[in-house]
Amino acid sequence: MTTLVASGKTKELYTTDDSSVLRVHYTDHTTAGDGLRNELIENKGAVNNEISSMIFTYLNENGVATHFIERVNETDQLNKKVEMIPLEVVIRNFAAGHFQKRFGTDYLQTLKEPVVEFFYKDNDLHDPIVTKSDAIGLDLIQADKLTQLEEDGLKVNQILKKLFDKMNVTLVDFKLEFGINEDGEIILADEISPDSCRLLDKDTNESLDKDVFRKEAGDMMPGYLEILNRLRAAI
Amino acid sequence: MTTLVASGKTKELYTTDDSSVLRVHYTDHTTAGDGLRNELIENKGAVNNEISSMIFTYLNENGVATHFIERVNETDQLNKKVEMIPLEVVIRNFAAGHFQKRFGTDYLQTLKEPVVEFFYKDNDLHDPIVTKSDAIGLDLIQADKLTQLEEDGLKVNQILKKLFDKMNVTLVDFKLEFGINEDGEIILADEISPDSCRLLDKDTNESLDKDVFRKEAGDMMPGYLEILNRLRAAI
Ligand SMILES: Nc1ncnc2c1ncn2[C@@H]1O[C@H](COP(=O)(O)OP(=O)(O)O)[C@@H](O)[C@H]1O
Ligand SMILES: Nc1ncnc2c1ncn2[C@@H]1O[C@H](COP(=O)(O)OP(=O)(O)O)[C@@H](O)[C@H]1O
Ligand SMILES: [Mg+2]
Ligand SMILES: [Mg+2]
């Protein structure tokens, strides 16, 4: 027997026979503009399930502890159940998105060092940015855990930058979510896909990610499939 | 001879015979809502000039290097000329203002530790919040200087909290600006006044600061004069 235990904007979480394991179903839902736009894009769930599975496997093999166990069918994967930390960890190598708008930089302006930002995951508050000092003052998380999130984020960035370089893809920025496992350890959870990364073809600077959908610039699936195919060739 | 070298929303900066010294004139201008409201409030310049002079003198005597030299008349003081760092350093002991709104906390919710936030001083960008990581990525300032701003801010907070405690006043939050002096050292500049602090009478929680103006809750000057009088008694 399997029960839906939780669902969000794009994924559904189901129980399995093992209480420490969830089956995560990747849907075709695609959202933008703080959830105001929400469309079904055929095949996206399956493609993101496969991309996310490949990237998590690669990270597991490269010394990053993740929730990923195995992909079980086209749209579903098994993940270790964790207690989610309500922070989005965003790592930026070049200026884009909110960051670009907030600071009025050029699109893709180079950053002196990779930037790590935290956003408090709260739909009612529209996921506000939270500094480390804010997070500690608000007692959202302990200081040492925040430091670990930052270090883990930068480590994932190093590993993925190299992987995407091999694929002739620029990793502009991406969002991670972490959780606490049964042993009280912080592990990487949620997903890593073109929904949660900005990825550009190095030759053309063409977006191979959700920015195509955000900007209503046509069909985003060719870019997603391109990432999947280049991953298959690179890993 | 004296020339106007710069002016902002509330103060005018004039040259003096000494090229390293400015005469800062405190005007009656009072602004709120990102500068959208701007009114002249009689006597505010003189009261803030005196309050700011007393607080800077107190900080100078308590081991904090500031730009303050001396008050020269009702509305003017002499300050060391500095190269301003384009960051507002905000220190919070209790939730209020933007912080309260951003995180949906109660007004005056206690913080586990004092919070230090940085805002990038840029009118066109509406002074966006900038994390330490953002500031370094954008090359706004070096990492060691940021750390010093944070430490100096917390030190000023410790000193002022004690001073205001003696005055039966709660220091909710305040904004500092720093600059680099001729010797390349970071010193505290700008002003410290009820324009830049949230100050509450401990018995009534009544605002003795610009929040009265922000909230259009009547004449703000009685609160400013109350702070001035209690400072005179305490220092
Ligand atoms: N390993 C996991 N254990 C428990 N919850 C998880 C795990 N991985 C992701 N989640 C959570 O699953 C939920 C559904 O994901 P998603 O549809 O992306 O939600 P959201 O709308 O918050 O982006 C989210 O709350 C996410 O944090
Ligand atoms: N010691 C100093 N040397 C040079 N500039 C200063 C000094 N202290 C304050 N300033 C600057 O004086 C200007 C005028 O102040 P103000 O009217 O408060 O401006 P603002 O509109 O930026 O708040 C500001 O740009 C402020 O940063
Ligand atoms: Mg999600
Ligand atoms: Mg000012």
Side-chain angles (χ1 to χ4, degrees):
Chain A
M1 222 203 66
T2 176
T3 332
L4 180 71
V5 284
S7 70
K9 293 189 287 290
T10 64
K11 299 189 294 294
E12 294 166 354
L13 275 44
Y14 294 89
T15 56
T16 65
D17 294 342
D18 182 339
S19 69
S20 70
V21 175
L22 294 171
R23 179 170 57 83
V24 175
H25 172 68
Y26 280 62
T27 73
D28 286 341
H29 283 283
T30 309
T31 64
D34 201 17
L36 283 178
R37 277 175 67 212
N38 186 331
E39 295 174 26
L40 286 169
I41 300 205
E42 205 183 323
N43 204 30
K44 195 210 62 168
V47 172
N48 272 358
N49 182 40
E50 190 167 351
I51 291 174
S52 211
S53 296
M54 291 178 83
I55 293 178
F56 277 134
T57 302
Y58 188 78
L59 289 173
N60 279 339
E61 287 166 355
N62 281 274
V64 177
T66 86
H67 71 160
F68 182 76
I69 302 169
E70 63 172 330
R71 190 166 76 102
V72 287
N73 65 39
E74 267 226 310
T75 53
D76 295 23
Q77 58 182 258
L78 297 184
N79 290 160
K80 287 175 201 152
K81 186 167 145 185
V82 296
E83 167 117 34
M84 293 303 290
I85 295 170
L87 293 174
E88 295 193 347
V89 183
V90 173
I91 293 96
R92 305 178 183 278
N93 295 304
F94 301 95
H98 286 128
F99 182 94
Q100 184 204 342
K101 200 174 163 194
R102 185 149 48 96
F103 296 116
T105 69
D106 287 338
Y107 177 53
L108 304 183
Q109 180 183 303
T110 305
L111 301 172
K112 208 188 157 203
E113 287 184 31
V115 161
V116 183
E117 291 177 337
F118 298 98
F119 293 84
Y120 181 46
K121 243 181 109 93
D122 185 303
N123 286 333
D124 292 344
L125 298 171
H126 308 285
D127 300 345
I129 191 164
V130 52
T131 70
K132 292 204 283 177
S133 177
D134 292 334
I136 290 163
L138 287 166
D139 209 7
L140 295 178
I141 187 170
Q142 289 123 288
D144 58 331
K145 289 205 174 120
L146 261 185
T147 305
Q148 194 188 326
L149 292 184
E150 199 166 39
E151 285 172 1
D152 287 358
L154 289 170
K155 183 175 173 185
V156 170
N157 187 43
Q158 285 312 315
I159 296 169
L160 293 189
K161 257 201 307 198
K162 267 195 210 154
L163 174 63
F164 284 114
D165 272 345
K166 273 203 287 186
M167 293 160 54
N168 203 38
V169 167
T170 304
L171 177 60
V172 175
D173 58 33
F174 58 101
K175 182 267 298 172
L176 300 175
E177 295 181 28
F178 294 84
I180 316 265
N181 70 10
E182 285 180 316
D183 300 326
E185 291 155 353
I186 293 179
I187 65 172
L188 186 58
D190 204 53
E191 71 179 88
I192 301 183
S193 73
D195 270 17
S196 62
C197 305
R198 282 197 176 84
L199 303 169
L200 306 181
D201 179 84
K202 276 191 195 283
D203 294 331
T204 62
N205 263 4
E206 193 190 347
S207 290
L208 308 171
D209 59 43
K210 202 168 78 171
D211 267 354
V212 176
F213 177 81
R214 286 192 193 95
K215 295 176 180 164
E216 305 184 79
D219 184 2
M220 69 177 203
M221 286 313 295
Y224 280 53
L225 286 165
E226 187 63 33
I227 293 297
L228 177 58
N229 286 328
R230 293 195 200 179
L231 268 175
R232 283 183 181 141
I235 292 188
Chain B
M1 221 203 65
T2 176
T3 331
L4 180 71
V5 284
S7 69
K9 291 189 289 291
T10 63
K11 299 188 294 295
E12 295 167 354
L13 276 45
Y14 294 90
T15 55
T16 65
D17 294 341
D18 183 338
S19 69
S20 71
V21 175
L22 293 171
R23 179 169 58 83
V24 175
H25 173 68
Y26 279 62
T27 73
D28 286 341
H29 283 283
T30 308
T31 64
D34 203 17
L36 283 177
R37 277 175 67 209
N38 186 331
E39 295 174 26
L40 285 169
I41 299 204
E42 204 182 323
N43 204 31
K44 194 209 64 166
V47 172
N48 272 359
N49 182 41
E50 191 167 351
I51 291 174
S52 210
S53 296
M54 290 178 84
I55 293 178
F56 277 134
T57 302
Y58 188 78
L59 290 173
N60 279 338
E61 287 166 354
N62 282 273
V64 177
T66 85
H67 72 160
F68 183 76
I69 302 169
E70 62 171 330
R71 189 166 76 103
V72 286
N73 65 39
E74 268 226 311
T75 53
D76 295 23
Q77 59 182 256
L78 298 183
N79 291 160
K80 288 175 202 152
K81 186 166 144 187
V82 296
E83 168 118 34
M84 292 303 290
I85 296 171
L87 293 175
E88 295 192 347
V89 183
V90 173
I91 294 96
R92 305 179 183 277
N93 296 304
F94 300 94
H98 287 128
F99 182 94
Q100 184 203 342
K101 201 174 161 192
R102 186 149 48 96
F103 296 117
T105 70
D106 287 338
Y107 176 54
L108 305 183
Q109 181 184 302
T110 306
L111 301 172
K112 207 188 158 201
E113 286 184 31
V115 161
V116 183
E117 291 177 337
F118 298 98
F119 293 84
Y120 181 45
K121 242 181 109 93
D122 184 304
N123 286 334
D124 292 344
L125 297 172
H126 308 286
D127 299 346
I129 192 163
V130 51
T131 70
K132 291 203 284 177
S133 178
D134 293 334
I136 290 163
L138 287 166
D139 209 7
L140 296 179
I141 187 170
Q142 291 123 288
D144 58 331
K145 288 202 174 125
L146 261 185
T147 305
Q148 194 189 325
L149 292 184
E150 199 166 39
E151 286 172 0
D152 287 358
L154 289 170
K155 183 174 173 186
V156 170
N157 187 43
Q158 286 311 315
I159 296 169
L160 294 189
K161 257 201 306 198
K162 267 195 211 155
L163 174 62
F164 284 115
D165 272 346
K166 272 203 288 186
M167 293 159 55
N168 203 37
V169 166
T170 303
L171 178 60
V172 175
D173 58 33
F174 59 102
K175 183 266 299 173
L176 301 175
E177 295 182 29
F178 293 83
I180 316 264
N181 71 10
E182 284 180 318
D183 301 326
E185 292 154 354
I186 293 180
I187 65 172
L188 185 59
D190 204 53
E191 71 179 88
I192 301 182
S193 74
D195 271 16
S196 62
C197 305
R198 282 197 175 83
L199 304 168
L200 306 182
D201 178 85
K202 276 191 195 283
D203 293 331
T204 63
N205 264 4
E206 192 189 347
S207 291
L208 308 171
D209 59 43
K210 203 169 77 170
D211 266 355
V212 176
F213 177 80
R214 287 192 192 94
K215 295 178 181 164
E216 305 186 76
D219 183 2
M220 70 177 203
M221 285 313 295
Y224 281 53
L225 286 166
E226 187 64 32
I227 293 296
L228 178 57
N229 286 329
R230 292 195 200 179
L231 268 175
R232 282 183 181 142
I235 292 188

